[in-house]
Amino acid sequence: MPGEPTRMRKFVFLVVLLMAYPVLAIAGPSPARLAAMDSLWVAYTLLYRGNPQGLAHVEESLHIDPNLALANIIRAEFAMKHQDWTTAQQYLRRGIELIGQPDQIFSPDDTIPVNVNVIEANARVSLGYTLMALATQANEEGDLEIAMRHLNVARLHLLASLELEPTSAVKETAENLLSLLSEAYKR
């Protein structure tokens, strides 16, 4: 039959690929992702100590691996500290988008357990807060349509955070922000 050897080669290639898939899936993060996490760990340590030089390490981490979810989220934290709400929104959205992708790492060491749902819940509350700040700016500029859009999306993220496993502090913050939103909707 014409084309039979080609079909057989394709079949064998597919079988080999499928057999290798479990090995590829457990191969773990790339060396670049691990290097990005190392730089991010330095940044996080500096951030925790209040050292603004941590931002340079976050930027380095994002340069090495722009798809590292945690690097995007921590970059957003720096933006929030400087009330740069547009930048914070950009990095929080990207970080949340990346959280569920394969080979994401959230801890610099396997011995340090990290609950990914807690990270996502925190990021969603931060995004809700950021969107509320952007809504305030839009309202001050007289753009009520944009303000309401930000508030509606903020509400969705805050509700989503409560469906995850937030810490008690994050849960309380989300509930307080939702309460503020309820008041804003009444006006």
Side-chain angles (χ1 to χ4, degrees):
M1 193 161 153
E4 192 66 31
T6 303
R7 214 179 297 164
M8 182 56 111
R9 278 191 298 240
K10 287 180 182 177
F11 175 76
V12 170
F13 175 76
L14 182 61
V15 169
V16 169
L17 183 64
L18 290 174
M19 288 174 56
Y21 180 75
V23 174
L24 294 173
I26 61 172
S30 69
R33 177 143 300 161
L34 293 171
M37 179 52 99
D38 288 343
S39 184
L40 188 61
W41 185 246
V42 171
Y44 191 76
T45 303
L46 292 171
L47 174 66
Y48 182 75
R49 293 180 185 156
N51 186 332
Q53 292 177 344
L55 180 57
H57 289 279
V58 174
E59 295 290 349
E60 177 185 344
S61 178
L62 286 167
H63 179 74
I64 295 168
D65 185 355
N67 294 321
L68 182 59
L70 193 57
N72 281 276
I73 292 167
I74 292 175
R75 176 60 182 92
E77 288 179 20
F78 276 94
M80 289 178 72
K81 281 185 181 256
H82 292 97
Q83 297 183 354
D84 181 355
W85 306 118
T86 303
T87 300
Q89 176 190 22
Q90 170 193 343
Y91 282 103
L92 284 165
R93 285 184 186 274
R94 182 74 177 135
I96 291 168
E97 176 185 304
L98 292 167
I99 281 177
Q101 290 189 353
D103 295 333
Q104 288 294 328
I105 50 179
F106 298 94
S107 176
D109 188 328
D110 290 341
T111 63
I112 302 172
V114 173
N115 184 328
V116 177
N117 286 341
V118 170
I119 290 173
E120 183 176 351
N122 190 36
R124 288 186 181 278
V125 169
S126 294
L127 182 54
Y129 182 84
T130 297
L131 289 165
M132 290 172 72
L134 286 168
T136 300
Q137 285 179 350
N139 186 44
E140 289 170 355
E141 294 167 2
D143 196 337
L144 296 178
E145 183 179 332
I146 295 289
M148 288 307 295
R149 190 176 316 141
H150 285 315
L151 292 177
N152 289 332
V153 175
R155 183 177 177 278
L156 294 174
H157 282 286
L158 294 168
L159 290 171
S161 75
L162 294 173
E163 292 179 14
L164 297 162
E165 298 173 30
T167 61
S168 58
V170 171
K171 181 179 179 184
E172 183 179 342
T173 301
E175 289 169 344
N176 288 338
L177 291 173
L178 284 166
S179 178
L180 288 172
L181 279 175
S182 293
E183 291 299 316
Y185 285 131
K186 289 178 186 176
R187 294 181 197 157

